């Protein structure tokens, strides 16, 4: 087994189980497991396990494991288990996995490593087999959430001046943000994992703009919810004609407030970085835009780094460290239009970002791209 760290390459030799031993394991319904602690050199890790219908009170001690040392093999009955990590000195539970079913007489390695997400536990574990790697996070981890206001002022929202307040409500709790204006994020809320009802309120009048939008926050998740206006033409008589008087204009439109939920990136690479584009450019001439990431020796035609994103949707691309000129382009009939462009420099200190595309009458082209940390 090969493990890469930021500092060095670690190689572990895992003895192969011979056919006779495998046959014995199959007959006895056993699987094989080792533990590798890659969390920290400062302290050992204490691991326990219980059956899926038990708690930590019934858990058995698996072992105490030192940093970067691969443990000896243990043979365990093929059943469904919950794994726990506890403080070596106090025995306080710091991590509890979801249920893990072991159905085959094969070899596994549980790797303990640092949790780089927003949840409360310092740990996460990877279950490594010969065919797959599955991550398990602490089932009790809280989740982090924020919102972005892309709701522009509109004649059909006469009282709305660009300021909103968001309320999350579940059976167990309620949380409300401070006011956040058009083109800005709310503060982050840390919530217990679960399902929530979302209500958006006009901060100036306390009138409800939307309510009962579903937001699910899995354990240890980090999400952003974007709110925007969706305009639709009204076909009152259902004949497919939205210009009944033939004056060249749509007779009537209606609006709804829509929400777009996006997972914030937890990428921690120093060599490449995720960029997620969100398209809120509202145009009668196009609904899709393309972003071209052009390096110094490239052009729009030759770059391989491009993405497409429709109105009210998101798209993610991973880019290697470099300096790029980013062009936002739309197709209008047979013409291609550059809506906006900007320079983007990525290096080992860069973090994942959102590129939020919106209308902006104050710019020369009428459009803007805003970069924001995820």
């Amino acid at each position: 087994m090969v493990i890469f760290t930021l500092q060095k390459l670690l190689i572990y030799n895992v003895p192969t189980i011979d056919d006779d031993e495998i046959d014995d394991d199959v007959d006895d319904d056993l699987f094989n497991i080792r533990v590798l602690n890659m969390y920290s050199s400062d302290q050992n890790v204490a691991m326990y396990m219980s059956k899926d219908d038990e708690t930590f009170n019934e858990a058995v001690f698996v072992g105490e494991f030192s940093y970067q040392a691969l443990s000896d093999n243990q043979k365990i009955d093929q059943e469904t288990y919950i794994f726990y990590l506890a403080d070596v000195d106090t025995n306080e539970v710091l991590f509890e996995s979801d249920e893990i079913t072991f159905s085959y007489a094969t070899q596994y390695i549980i790797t303990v490593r640092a949790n780089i997400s927003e949840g409360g536990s310092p740990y996460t574990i990877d279950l490594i087999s010969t065919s797959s790697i599955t991550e398990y996070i602490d089932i009790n981890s809280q989740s982090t959430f924020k919102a972005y206001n892309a709701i522009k002022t509109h004649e059909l929202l006469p009282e709305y001046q660009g300021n909103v307040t968001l309320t999350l409500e579940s059976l167990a709790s309620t949380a409300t943000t401070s006011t956040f204006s058009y083109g800005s994020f709310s503060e982050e809320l840390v919530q217990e994992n679960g399902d929530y009802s979302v209500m958006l309120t006009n901060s100036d009048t306390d009138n409800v703009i939307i309510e009962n939008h579903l937001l699910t926050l899995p354990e240890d998740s980090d999400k952003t919810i974007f709110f925007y206006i969706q305009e639709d033409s009204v076909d009152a008589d259902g004949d497919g004609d939205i210009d009944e008087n033939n004056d060249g204009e749509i007779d009537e439109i209606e609006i709804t407030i829509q929400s777009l939920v996006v997972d914030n990136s937890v990428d921690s690479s120093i060599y490449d970085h995720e960029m997620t584009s969100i398209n809120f450019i509202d145009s009668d001439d196009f609904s899709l835009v393309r972003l071209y990431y052009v390096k110094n020796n490239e052009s729009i035609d030759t770059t391989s780094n491009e993405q497409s994103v429709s109105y009210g949707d998101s798209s993610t691309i991973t880019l290697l460290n470099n300096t790029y000129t980013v062009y936002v382009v739309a197709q209008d009939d047979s013409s291609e239009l550059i809506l906006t462009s900007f320079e983007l420099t990525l290096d080992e200190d860069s973090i994942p970002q959102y590129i939020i595309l919106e209308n902006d009458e104050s710019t020369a082209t009428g459009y803007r791209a805003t970069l924001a940390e995820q």
Side-chain angles (χ1 to χ4, degrees):
M1 181 179 65
V2 178
I3 299 288
F4 291 94
T5 71
L6 294 181
Q7 293 82 21
K8 58 185 176 180
L9 170 67
L10 303 176
I11 299 177
Y12 295 88
N13 293 316
V14 181
T16 303
I17 296 177
D18 62 35
D19 291 340
D20 291 337
E21 188 174 350
I22 291 176
D23 290 340
D24 291 340
D25 289 343
V26 170
D27 293 338
D28 296 332
D29 292 330
L30 301 174
F31 69 93
N32 299 269
I33 196 164
R34 299 172 185 266
V35 178
L36 176 61
N37 173 18
M38 298 299 294
Y39 173 71
S40 170
S41 59
D42 296 332
Q43 64 188 79
N44 292 352
V45 170
M47 179 177 288
Y48 296 79
M49 61 186 292
S50 73
K51 293 182 180 179
D52 61 324
D53 60 352
E54 298 175 335
T55 70
F56 182 69
N57 294 327
E58 293 74 45
V60 298
F61 183 61
V62 178
E64 182 178 323
F65 306 103
S66 58
Y67 183 58
Q68 294 187 353
L70 183 64
S71 75
D72 293 334
N73 186 58
Q74 297 187 45
K75 291 185 179 293
I76 300 174
D77 292 334
Q78 294 176 29
E79 292 190 39
T80 299
Y81 296 97
I82 298 170
F83 288 86
Y84 309 85
L85 299 175
D87 186 280
V88 173
D89 298 319
T90 67
N91 219 33
E92 176 190 0
V93 176
L94 301 175
F95 172 92
E96 179 181 345
S97 77
D98 203 351
E99 298 173 0
I100 306 176
T101 301
F102 297 88
S103 304
Y104 304 101
T106 188
Q107 291 178 283
Y108 296 94
I109 295 175
I110 291 182
T111 302
V112 180
R113 58 180 175 85
N115 176 21
I116 62 173
S117 301
E118 296 291 332
S121 175
Y123 299 106
T124 188
I125 66 173
D126 294 323
L127 182 66
I128 304 174
S129 70
T130 56
S131 60
S132 66
I133 300 176
T134 304
E135 178 188 29
Y136 290 90
I137 57 180
D138 180 21
I139 64 169
N140 299 306
S141 290
Q142 294 178 312
S143 299
T144 302
F145 158 85
K146 62 184 175 183
Y148 182 85
N149 180 6
I151 305 172
K152 60 187 178 181
T153 56
H154 197 284
E155 60 182 5
L156 295 182
L157 288 174
E159 296 180 329
Y160 171 67
Q161 300 300 312
N163 303 308
V164 296
T165 303
L166 181 143
T167 299
L168 283 182
E169 187 171 19
S170 69
L171 293 176
S173 65
T174 299
T176 301
T177 68
S178 303
T179 296
F180 56 108
S181 59
Y182 173 73
S184 66
F185 288 91
S186 71
E187 76 265 35
E188 287 189 340
L189 297 179
V190 178
Q191 299 293 117
E192 298 297 328
N193 58 75
D195 297 317
Y196 290 86
S197 173
V198 178
M199 180 174 67
L200 207 61
T201 304
N202 184 336
S203 301
D204 300 312
T205 64
D206 290 333
N207 292 333
V208 174
I209 298 175
I210 64 166
E211 57 186 340
N212 300 325
H213 279 223
L214 172 65
L215 175 66
T216 297
L217 297 176
E219 59 271 11
D220 208 31
S221 61
D222 184 10
K223 295 178 181 289
T224 298
I225 183 169
F226 296 83
F227 294 99
Y228 65 99
I229 283 181
Q230 178 76 52
E231 290 187 356
D232 293 299
S233 304
V234 175
D235 181 13
D237 56 8
D239 65 353
D241 187 0
I242 57 176
D243 181 15
E244 299 285 358
N245 57 8
N246 297 314
D247 64 353
E249 295 183 0
I250 297 172
D251 296 331
E252 182 182 357
I253 64 169
E254 62 182 5
I255 63 169
T256 54
I257 307 301
Q258 301 288 349
S259 58
L260 171 69
V261 180
V262 181
D263 291 320
N264 297 329
S265 173
V266 295
D267 173 50
S268 61
S269 171
I270 63 173
Y271 307 108
D272 54 40
H273 307 280
E274 291 185 358
M275 307 295 296
T276 299
S277 296
I278 313 290
N279 181 16
F280 294 129
I281 292 178
D282 187 10
S283 173
D284 294 332
D285 299 318
F286 53 84
S287 60
L288 179 142
V289 300
R290 290 185 173 85
L291 288 87
Y292 297 91
Y293 300 84
V294 180
K295 292 184 286 190
N296 185 54
N297 62 342
E298 296 178 330
S299 67
I300 287 177
D301 288 338
T302 61
T303 183
S304 60
N305 295 309
E306 64 175 276
Q307 61 185 155
S308 300
V309 55
S310 300
Y311 180 74
D313 206 350
S314 65
S315 176
T316 298
I317 189 171
T318 301
L319 299 172
L320 292 171
N321 289 345
N322 210 318
T323 295
Y324 301 86
T325 300
V326 183
Y327 295 95
V328 182
V329 178
Q331 185 85 29
D332 182 9
D333 293 329
S334 61
S335 301
E336 287 189 310
L337 308 176
I338 297 178
L339 306 183
T340 187
S341 62
F342 58 94
E343 187 173 278
L344 173 67
T345 299
L346 300 176
D347 56 31
E348 63 181 21
D349 296 322
S350 299
I351 62 174
Q353 296 189 62
Y354 285 118
I355 302 175
I356 304 171
L357 307 174
E358 297 171 288
N359 301 76
D360 187 348
E361 295 180 358
S362 68
T363 67
T365 61
Y367 309 98
R368 74 180 184 202
T370 304
L371 273 68
E373 296 180 359
Q374 294 191 34

